[in-house]
Amino acid sequence: MIHPLIALFQQRAEILDMQGSKATAGDAIGMLAAWIEANQDRLTEDDLAVLGEIGGLLYRDGLRRRG
């Protein structure tokens, strides 16, 4: 069984595909950075570490796709 949050990600990806979205990993990085900045005062150091890791993975994936 797929974890409910993974299923949500899959569902959102399918919706983006149906909508013909051209959003990229770079767009996701921008949205993540904006969200972190807006919520930084409520995030713990552990939260920031995990979100930083996610941003790093997206950034690395985006670089590989461009290169």
Side-chain angles (χ1 to χ4, degrees):
M1 178 174 190
I2 297 176
H3 188 282
L5 289 173
I6 302 298
L8 173 66
F9 298 157
Q10 180 182 6
Q11 179 185 36
R12 288 298 304 149
E14 291 168 357
I15 290 169
L16 290 167
D17 285 345
M18 285 187 291
Q19 294 172 336
S21 173
K22 301 294 182 202
T24 66
D27 297 316
I29 292 167
M31 288 187 287
L32 178 62
W35 186 87
I36 291 170
E37 186 172 28
N39 293 281
Q40 198 164 10
D41 59 330
R42 294 184 278 174
L43 299 172
T44 67
E45 289 296 320
D46 288 341
D47 294 336
L48 290 170
V50 170
L51 292 167
E53 185 80 10
I54 292 166
L57 291 168
L58 288 169
Y59 189 86
R60 185 182 67 187
D61 185 59
L63 287 177
R64 287 185 179 156
R65 289 177 189 267
R66 283 184 267 160

